[in-house]
Amino acid sequence: MKILLLYPQYPDSFWSFKHALKFISKKAAVPPLGLITVSALLPQSWQKKLIDMNVTLLKDEYILWADYVFISAMYIQKESVNKVINKCENLNTPMVAGGPLFTQEYKNYPQIDYFVLNEAEITLPIFMTDLSAGKAKRVYKTDMYANLDMTPIPDYHLLDMKKYAFMNVQISRGCPFSCDFCEITTLLGHKVRMKSPNQFIEELNALYKLNWRGSVSIVDDNFIGNKKEIKSAYLPKLKQWMRSHKYPFVFNIQSSINLADDKEMLALMAETGFTSTFIGIETPDEVSLNHCNKVQNENRDLLKSVQEIQKAGLQVSGGFIVGFDSDTPSIFQRQIDFIQKSGIVSAMVGLLNAPKNTLLYQRLCAENRLTKESTGNNTDSSMNFIPKMDYDELMLGYKKIIHSIYASKPYYQRVRQLFLNYKHSYNKQKEINFSLFGAFLKSVYVIGIVNKGRMEYWKLLVWTLVKRPKLFIEAITFAVYGYHFRIVYGL
């Protein structure tokens, strides 16, 4: 068999980092981990080609070469998905689809020949058996969750690694929490299922042998979903591996805010090479946190929790939401104040949306308030339901937040606040920093000379050299991020 593994294109968005990646001559932030894992589940004797449309142009010859095109996608890739489907149809190449978008919306894609849904460790072998027997069904889905002991090492060798800023790995699936706007538990369940520490180490070995050095994203929706196991089994083994391999990687994660409660674990993570975490903070308003069942954020000083993580040596990026039913007009300034005081430089502020199959979606459907499907893009100023707050007031307040945190002056002020909070870990992981001289020169020209916020850029660099000289590379990095955010938000 000849299989084309096809990953559709992302639109320009907050997390695409499209405009920032140009400074380091990269095409995409992370590769399609799901597809290269699916590839590893296919027979090794089959021929496989990966086309990630975020880094490579899709040519007709690739589709014509294939016996089947395997497509995986998320909601945000819908526009590109439609183009891919039309192209495959026109070239008469059968399609096999899976991933989050199709698992929830397969009925909306009658053009696709086969759907292998939910977790491929379960459904893909059944499809393969039926296909080889000439009796393949159209839809394969399951209510069961995969045992991750059965998950193979992804086919990282299919990637053109030099085109990516990060590699990505996965330790666990599932989340113990039940935020009403989140679809993770619908897709992956509440029970946190984990690979063994040895499995994870073997994946790192695979990346190491392929000469990857640098940033690795652990893409678990909550890295500390099973905090006891991570602390006792994973981190000690990972720390040992990192030391023996002379710290080839730095790790970033997603976690819940209760990471701040365990200083011993934070210290261990910093020593091991963890440098940043994304946390869904959502809102400083206790009533809204209660209404959306964000129990892990309730009854705590969120600002202090963020600062505890920063002081331990991990930078914090965060997700924030406005548009909860209990939000009042005061929420906009409260969000601005919190973000600025926190030193959360990459603050993704979005309007509340209700993805399919979430508790929020079900409630809004019962209240007849849904208007359309969610786009999956947290920062495109769209909503898929009628909010309680006046819509125009909500839009104005949202735009006020964006301008107030991403205009040059407040943005660079927030970078300085982070540097004041942040205790950088200066161990051997610093050795992995490749030369950023070219990126620095580009930033000087594009941000420091051409860009309208150039004075704030120079003020940050001078302040950093005087007050926090060891954070100069971070200052350049955040200046480039800010440039990307201002373009995305049209500032």
Side-chain angles (χ1 to χ4, degrees), residues 115-278:
F115 293 98
V116 180
L117 308 177
N118 305 108
E119 294 181 273
E121 291 91 344
I122 297 174
T123 52
L124 184 60
I126 303 170
F127 167 68
M128 300 299 298
T129 299
D130 288 353
L131 187 66
S132 65
K135 55 178 184 180
K137 298 182 293 185
R138 185 161 183 265
V139 179
Y140 292 81
K141 57 182 180 176
T142 179
D143 293 328
M144 297 187 296
Y145 295 113
N147 179 348
L148 298 195
D149 288 343
M150 307 301 294
T151 304
I153 297 172
D155 279 344
Y156 290 110
H157 66 273
L158 293 178
L159 302 172
D160 187 351
M161 286 185 165
K162 65 180 181 293
K163 293 184 178 179
Y164 297 95
F166 301 81
M167 283 296 108
N168 46 11
V169 295
Q170 184 183 58
I171 293 176
S172 68
R173 297 179 197 162
C175 181
F177 300 112
S178 302
C179 309
D180 78 344
F181 54 81
C182 181
E183 60 196 324
I184 294 304
T185 53
T186 301
L187 292 168
L188 300 173
H190 285 290
K191 183 180 179 182
V192 178
R193 295 163 288 127
M194 306 183 75
K195 295 176 181 176
S196 71
N198 286 337
Q199 271 182 285
F200 180 57
I201 293 298
E202 283 305 306
E203 293 187 17
L204 296 185
N205 281 327
L207 287 173
Y208 186 84
K209 289 174 183 175
L210 288 167
N211 295 315
W212 179 259
R213 302 292 184 272
S215 298
V216 175
S217 290
I218 300 176
V219 299
D220 303 23
D221 293 292
N222 189 353
F223 177 71
I224 60 167
N226 185 338
K227 189 161 71 169
K228 181 180 178 181
E229 186 72 8
I230 288 291
K231 185 177 178 179
S232 63
Y234 277 82
L235 290 177
K237 195 154 194 165
L238 180 56
K239 181 180 177 181
Q240 182 182 8
W241 186 91
M242 287 285 284
R243 186 191 298 120
S244 67
H245 289 75
K246 299 182 179 179
Y247 297 89
F249 308 136
V250 292
F251 300 102
N252 61 66
I253 60 170
Q254 301 176 93
S255 71
S256 42
I257 193 71
N258 56 318
L259 176 63
D261 303 337
D262 193 329
K263 292 184 179 181
E264 183 183 2
M265 184 177 183
L266 280 168
L268 182 56
M269 290 172 68
E271 292 165 6
T272 303
F274 288 75
T275 59
S276 64
T277 180
F278 173 85

Side-chain angles (χ1 to χ4, degrees), residues 256-261 263 266 277 279-286 289 296-312 314-320 333-345 347 414 417-418 420-422:
S256 42
I257 193 71
N258 56 318
L259 176 63
D261 303 337
K263 292 184 179 181
L266 280 168
T277 180
I279 297 174
I281 292 172
E282 321 312 355
T283 177
D285 187 80
E286 281 283 338
L289 289 173
Q296 63 271 38
N297 287 26
E298 291 184 75
N299 303 313
R300 68 163 62 236
D301 186 334
L302 288 168
L303 197 60
K304 184 178 179 182
S305 294
V306 169
Q307 291 167 349
E308 288 293 330
I309 297 170
Q310 292 167 333
K311 287 174 186 175
L314 276 73
Q315 298 168 13
V316 177
S317 54
F320 298 86
Q333 191 59 49
R334 290 180 66 189
Q335 290 277 30
I336 293 166
D337 293 343
F338 182 94
I339 292 166
Q340 289 300 114
K341 290 176 183 176
S342 70
I344 294 178
V345 178
R414 197 159 71 255
Q417 183 61 55
L418 168 64
L420 291 172
N421 296 349
Y422 180 49

